[in-house]
PDB file of all heavy atoms in Angstrom:
ATOM      1  N   LEU B1478       3.254 -27.422  -5.050  1.00  0.00           N
ATOM      2  CA  LEU B1478       2.996 -28.861  -5.213  1.00  0.00           C
ATOM      3  C   LEU B1478       3.819 -29.432  -6.370  1.00  0.00           C
ATOM      4  O   LEU B1478       4.372 -30.536  -6.270  1.00  0.00           O
ATOM      5  CB  LEU B1478       1.511 -29.093  -5.503  1.00  0.00           C
ATOM      6  CG  LEU B1478       0.600 -29.381  -4.323  1.00  0.00           C
ATOM      7  CD1 LEU B1478      -0.824 -29.600  -4.822  1.00  0.00           C
ATOM      8  CD2 LEU B1478       1.065 -30.615  -3.553  1.00  0.00           C
ATOM      9  N   ILE B1481       7.219 -29.803  -5.115  1.00  0.00           N
ATOM     10  CA  ILE B1481       7.316 -30.964  -4.212  1.00  0.00           C
ATOM     11  C   ILE B1481       7.470 -32.243  -5.048  1.00  0.00           C
ATOM     12  O   ILE B1481       8.331 -33.078  -4.771  1.00  0.00           O
ATOM     13  CB  ILE B1481       6.063 -31.027  -3.300  1.00  0.00           C
ATOM     14  CG1 ILE B1481       6.157 -29.915  -2.236  1.00  0.00           C
ATOM     15  CG2 ILE B1481       5.921 -32.396  -2.641  1.00  0.00           C
ATOM     16  CD1 ILE B1481       4.831 -29.566  -1.582  1.00  0.00           C
ATOM     17  N   LEU B1485      10.689 -34.723  -5.068  1.00  0.00           N
ATOM     18  CA  LEU B1485      10.594 -36.175  -4.835  1.00  0.00           C
ATOM     19  C   LEU B1485      11.173 -36.945  -6.018  1.00  0.00           C
ATOM     20  O   LEU B1485      11.814 -37.983  -5.850  1.00  0.00           O
ATOM     21  CB  LEU B1485       9.127 -36.578  -4.606  1.00  0.00           C
ATOM     22  CG  LEU B1485       8.484 -36.099  -3.297  1.00  0.00           C
ATOM     23  CD1 LEU B1485       6.969 -36.334  -3.333  1.00  0.00           C
ATOM     24  CD2 LEU B1485       9.104 -36.826  -2.094  1.00  0.00           C
ATOM     25  N   PRO B1491      11.627 -32.163  -0.619  1.00  0.00           N
ATOM     26  CA  PRO B1491      10.465 -31.567  -1.301  1.00  0.00           C
ATOM     27  C   PRO B1491      10.237 -30.095  -0.948  1.00  0.00           C
ATOM     28  O   PRO B1491       9.762 -29.331  -1.793  1.00  0.00           O
ATOM     29  CB  PRO B1491       9.293 -32.415  -0.807  1.00  0.00           C
ATOM     30  CG  PRO B1491       9.898 -33.685  -0.343  1.00  0.00           C
ATOM     31  CD  PRO B1491      11.272 -33.377   0.120  1.00  0.00           C
ATOM     32  N   GLY B1542       3.844 -42.180  -5.930  1.00  0.00           N
ATOM     33  CA  GLY B1542       3.590 -40.748  -6.182  1.00  0.00           C
ATOM     34  C   GLY B1542       2.353 -40.214  -5.494  1.00  0.00           C
ATOM     35  O   GLY B1542       2.412 -39.205  -4.808  1.00  0.00           O
ATOM     36  N   SER B1543       1.230 -40.928  -5.612  1.00  0.00           N
ATOM     37  CA  SER B1543      -0.030 -40.414  -5.056  1.00  0.00           C
ATOM     38  C   SER B1543       0.065 -40.232  -3.550  1.00  0.00           C
ATOM     39  O   SER B1543      -0.332 -39.200  -3.013  1.00  0.00           O
ATOM     40  CB  SER B1543      -1.186 -41.365  -5.348  1.00  0.00           C
ATOM     41  OG  SER B1543      -1.080 -41.828  -6.634  1.00  0.00           O
ATOM     42  N   ALA B1544       0.632 -41.247  -2.867  1.00  0.00           N
ATOM     43  CA  ALA B1544       0.709 -41.179  -1.402  1.00  0.00           C
ATOM     44  C   ALA B1544       1.607 -40.029  -0.963  1.00  0.00           C
ATOM     45  O   ALA B1544       1.275 -39.261  -0.061  1.00  0.00           O
ATOM     46  CB  ALA B1544       1.233 -42.491  -0.853  1.00  0.00           C
ATOM     47  N   ASN B1545       2.781 -39.905  -1.643  1.00  0.00           N
ATOM     48  CA  ASN B1545       3.727 -38.849  -1.287  1.00  0.00           C
ATOM     49  C   ASN B1545       3.152 -37.459  -1.520  1.00  0.00           C
ATOM     50  O   ASN B1545       3.235 -36.580  -0.663  1.00  0.00           O
ATOM     51  CB  ASN B1545       5.004 -38.996  -2.127  1.00  0.00           C
ATOM     52  CG  ASN B1545       6.014 -39.891  -1.423  1.00  0.00           C
ATOM     53  OD1 ASN B1545       6.186 -39.776  -0.221  1.00  0.00           O
ATOM     54  ND2 ASN B1545       6.623 -40.778  -2.173  1.00  0.00           N
ATOM     55  N   ILE B1546       2.568 -37.272  -2.690  1.00  0.00           N
ATOM     56  CA  ILE B1546       2.008 -35.957  -3.027  1.00  0.00           C
ATOM     57  C   ILE B1546       0.838 -35.648  -2.104  1.00  0.00           C
ATOM     58  O   ILE B1546       0.683 -34.521  -1.623  1.00  0.00           O
ATOM     59  CB  ILE B1546       1.544 -35.934  -4.507  1.00  0.00           C
ATOM     60  CG1 ILE B1546       2.741 -36.038  -5.445  1.00  0.00           C
ATOM     61  CG2 ILE B1546       0.762 -34.652  -4.814  1.00  0.00           C
ATOM     62  CD1 ILE B1546       3.684 -34.859  -5.447  1.00  0.00           C
ATOM     63  N   SER B1547       0.045 -36.664  -1.813  1.00  0.00           N
ATOM     64  CA  SER B1547      -1.125 -36.470  -0.956  1.00  0.00           C
ATOM     65  C   SER B1547      -0.734 -35.937   0.422  1.00  0.00           C
ATOM     66  O   SER B1547      -1.411 -35.093   0.997  1.00  0.00           O
ATOM     67  CB  SER B1547      -1.880 -37.785  -0.833  1.00  0.00           C
ATOM     68  OG  SER B1547      -2.868 -37.665   0.149  1.00  0.00           O
ATOM     69  N   SER B1548       0.419 -36.405   0.955  1.00  0.00           N
ATOM     70  CA  SER B1548       0.838 -35.957   2.284  1.00  0.00           C
ATOM     71  C   SER B1548       1.180 -34.467   2.277  1.00  0.00           C
ATOM     72  O   SER B1548       1.082 -33.804   3.297  1.00  0.00           O
ATOM     73  CB  SER B1548       2.021 -36.782   2.786  1.00  0.00           C
ATOM     74  OG  SER B1548       3.210 -36.372   2.150  1.00  0.00           O
ATOM     75  N   PHE B1549       1.589 -33.944   1.126  1.00  0.00           N
ATOM     76  CA  PHE B1549       1.866 -32.513   1.028  1.00  0.00           C
ATOM     77  C   PHE B1549       0.618 -31.713   0.645  1.00  0.00           C
ATOM     78  O   PHE B1549       0.518 -30.535   0.944  1.00  0.00           O
ATOM     79  CB  PHE B1549       2.983 -32.246   0.008  1.00  0.00           C
ATOM     80  CG  PHE B1549       4.338 -32.532   0.564  1.00  0.00           C
ATOM     81  CD1 PHE B1549       4.925 -33.782   0.407  1.00  0.00           C
ATOM     82  CD2 PHE B1549       5.029 -31.564   1.277  1.00  0.00           C
ATOM     83  CE1 PHE B1549       6.173 -34.059   0.933  1.00  0.00           C
ATOM     84  CE2 PHE B1549       6.284 -31.827   1.799  1.00  0.00           C
ATOM     85  CZ  PHE B1549       6.857 -33.088   1.627  1.00  0.00           C
ATOM     86  N   MET B1550      -0.306 -32.368  -0.059  1.00  0.00           N
ATOM     87  CA  MET B1550      -1.544 -31.659  -0.436  1.00  0.00           C
ATOM     88  C   MET B1550      -2.378 -31.328   0.800  1.00  0.00           C
ATOM     89  O   MET B1550      -2.943 -30.250   0.921  1.00  0.00           O
ATOM     90  CB  MET B1550      -2.378 -32.510  -1.407  1.00  0.00           C
ATOM     91  CG  MET B1550      -1.862 -32.487  -2.832  1.00  0.00           C
ATOM     92  SD  MET B1550      -2.649 -33.747  -3.847  1.00  0.00           S
ATOM     93  CE  MET B1550      -4.096 -32.901  -4.390  1.00  0.00           C
ATOM     94  N   PHE B1551      -2.439 -32.299   1.724  1.00  0.00           N
ATOM     95  CA  PHE B1551      -3.289 -32.108   2.910  1.00  0.00           C
ATOM     96  C   PHE B1551      -2.500 -31.942   4.206  1.00  0.00           C
ATOM     97  O   PHE B1551      -3.075 -31.881   5.276  1.00  0.00           O
ATOM     98  CB  PHE B1551      -4.272 -33.287   3.025  1.00  0.00           C
ATOM     99  CG  PHE B1551      -5.159 -33.403   1.819  1.00  0.00           C
ATOM    100  CD1 PHE B1551      -4.976 -34.410   0.890  1.00  0.00           C
ATOM    101  CD2 PHE B1551      -6.167 -32.468   1.596  1.00  0.00           C
ATOM    102  CE1 PHE B1551      -5.780 -34.498  -0.245  1.00  0.00           C
ATOM    103  CE2 PHE B1551      -6.967 -32.557   0.474  1.00  0.00           C
ATOM    104  CZ  PHE B1551      -6.786 -33.572  -0.457  1.00  0.00           C
ATOM    105  N   GLY B1552      -1.173 -31.878   4.111  1.00  0.00           N
ATOM    106  CA  GLY B1552      -0.347 -31.652   5.281  1.00  0.00           C
ATOM    107  C   GLY B1552       0.018 -32.943   5.986  1.00  0.00           C
ATOM    108  O   GLY B1552      -0.757 -33.898   5.989  1.00  0.00           O
ATOM    109  N   SER B1553       1.248 -32.948   6.562  1.00  0.00           N
ATOM    110  CA  SER B1553       1.675 -34.133   7.321  1.00  0.00           C
ATOM    111  C   SER B1553       2.678 -33.670   8.375  1.00  0.00           C
ATOM    112  O   SER B1553       3.820 -34.101   8.388  1.00  0.00           O
ATOM    113  CB  SER B1553       2.304 -35.162   6.390  1.00  0.00           C
ATOM    114  OG  SER B1553       3.370 -34.583   5.689  1.00  0.00           O
ATOM    115  N   ILE B1554       2.226 -32.804   9.225  1.00  0.00           N
ATOM    116  CA  ILE B1554       3.137 -32.170  10.181  1.00  0.00           C
ATOM    117  C   ILE B1554       3.787 -33.176  11.133  1.00  0.00           C
ATOM    118  O   ILE B1554       4.921 -32.996  11.554  1.00  0.00           O
ATOM    119  CB  ILE B1554       2.402 -31.044  10.963  1.00  0.00           C
ATOM    120  CG1 ILE B1554       3.427 -30.227  11.757  1.00  0.00           C
ATOM    121  CG2 ILE B1554       1.295 -31.586  11.848  1.00  0.00           C
ATOM    122  CD1 ILE B1554       2.876 -28.970  12.356  1.00  0.00           C
ATOM    123  N   ALA B1556       4.893 -35.923  10.424  1.00  0.00           N
ATOM    124  CA  ALA B1556       5.953 -36.674   9.742  1.00  0.00           C
ATOM    125  C   ALA B1556       7.160 -35.795   9.452  1.00  0.00           C
ATOM    126  O   ALA B1556       8.042 -36.159   8.688  1.00  0.00           O
ATOM    127  CB  ALA B1556       5.409 -37.247   8.434  1.00  0.00           C
ATOM    128  N   SER B1619       3.549 -25.762   3.631  1.00  0.00           N
ATOM    129  CA  SER B1619       2.909 -26.895   2.945  1.00  0.00           C
ATOM    130  C   SER B1619       2.986 -28.169   3.794  1.00  0.00           C
ATOM    131  O   SER B1619       2.153 -29.057   3.679  1.00  0.00           O
ATOM    132  CB  SER B1619       3.551 -27.128   1.576  1.00  0.00           C
ATOM    133  OG  SER B1619       4.912 -27.435   1.740  1.00  0.00           O
ATOM    134  N   ARG B1620       4.001 -28.265   4.651  1.00  0.00           N
ATOM    135  CA  ARG B1620       4.131 -29.428   5.531  1.00  0.00           C
ATOM    136  C   ARG B1620       3.057 -29.421   6.637  1.00  0.00           C
ATOM    137  O   ARG B1620       2.646 -30.464   7.117  1.00  0.00           O
ATOM    138  CB  ARG B1620       5.500 -29.379   6.221  1.00  0.00           C
ATOM    139  CG  ARG B1620       6.505 -30.406   5.801  1.00  0.00           C
ATOM    140  CD  ARG B1620       6.011 -31.799   5.816  1.00  0.00           C
ATOM    141  NE  ARG B1620       7.085 -32.776   5.570  1.00  0.00           N
ATOM    142  CZ  ARG B1620       6.876 -33.946   5.054  1.00  0.00           C
ATOM    143  NH1 ARG B1620       5.685 -34.295   4.654  1.00  0.00           N
ATOM    144  NH2 ARG B1620       7.864 -34.793   4.892  1.00  0.00           N
ATOM    145  N   ILE B1621       2.652 -28.242   7.048  1.00  0.00           N
ATOM    146  CA  ILE B1621       1.762 -28.121   8.206  1.00  0.00           C
ATOM    147  C   ILE B1621       0.294 -28.339   7.827  1.00  0.00           C
ATOM    148  O   ILE B1621      -0.361 -29.254   8.300  1.00  0.00           O
ATOM    149  CB  ILE B1621       1.886 -26.716   8.863  1.00  0.00           C
ATOM    150  CG1 ILE B1621       3.341 -26.414   9.185  1.00  0.00           C
ATOM    151  CG2 ILE B1621       1.006 -26.605  10.107  1.00  0.00           C
ATOM    152  CD1 ILE B1621       3.948 -27.247  10.257  1.00  0.00           C
ATOM    153  N   VAL B1622      -0.208 -27.455   6.969  1.00  0.00           N
ATOM    154  CA  VAL B1622      -1.639 -27.542   6.641  1.00  0.00           C
ATOM    155  C   VAL B1622      -1.883 -28.146   5.268  1.00  0.00           C
ATOM    156  O   VAL B1622      -3.018 -28.412   4.905  1.00  0.00           O
ATOM    157  CB  VAL B1622      -2.329 -26.157   6.720  1.00  0.00           C
ATOM    158  CG1 VAL B1622      -2.450 -25.695   8.149  1.00  0.00           C
ATOM    159  CG2 VAL B1622      -1.641 -25.147   5.859  1.00  0.00           C
ATOM    160  N   GLY B1623      -0.785 -28.329   4.510  1.00  0.00           N
ATOM    161  CA  GLY B1623      -0.947 -28.884   3.175  1.00  0.00           C
ATOM    162  C   GLY B1623      -1.035 -27.779   2.140  1.00  0.00           C
ATOM    163  O   GLY B1623      -1.582 -26.708   2.409  1.00  0.00           O
ATOM    164  N   ALA B1624      -0.479 -28.064   0.956  1.00  0.00           N
ATOM    165  CA  ALA B1624      -0.403 -27.034  -0.088  1.00  0.00           C
ATOM    166  C   ALA B1624      -1.781 -26.516  -0.489  1.00  0.00           C
ATOM    167  O   ALA B1624      -1.934 -25.346  -0.825  1.00  0.00           O
ATOM    168  CB  ALA B1624       0.327 -27.588  -1.300  1.00  0.00           C
ATOM    169  N   ARG B1673      -6.986 -35.522  10.642  1.00  0.00           N
ATOM    170  CA  ARG B1673      -5.823 -34.995   9.925  1.00  0.00           C
ATOM    171  C   ARG B1673      -5.564 -33.576  10.430  1.00  0.00           C
ATOM    172  O   ARG B1673      -6.476 -32.735  10.444  1.00  0.00           O
ATOM    173  CB  ARG B1673      -6.075 -34.988   8.424  1.00  0.00           C
ATOM    174  CG  ARG B1673      -6.194 -36.392   7.863  1.00  0.00           C
ATOM    175  CD  ARG B1673      -6.108 -36.377   6.371  1.00  0.00           C
ATOM    176  NE  ARG B1673      -4.712 -36.333   5.945  1.00  0.00           N
ATOM    177  CZ  ARG B1673      -4.276 -36.903   4.829  1.00  0.00           C
ATOM    178  NH1 ARG B1673      -5.097 -37.531   4.036  1.00  0.00           N
ATOM    179  NH2 ARG B1673      -3.014 -36.816   4.493  1.00  0.00           N
TER     180      ARG B1673
END
Side-chain angles (χ1 to χ4, degrees):
Chain B
L1478 267 181
I1481 286 161
L1485 291 169
S1543 318
N1545 270 318
I1546 293 293
S1547 170
S1548 77
F1549 282 92
M1550 282 168 87
F1551 300 107
S1553 56
I1554 191 170
S1619 61
R1620 250 309 188 206
I1621 307 292
V1622 289
R1673 293 194 82 148

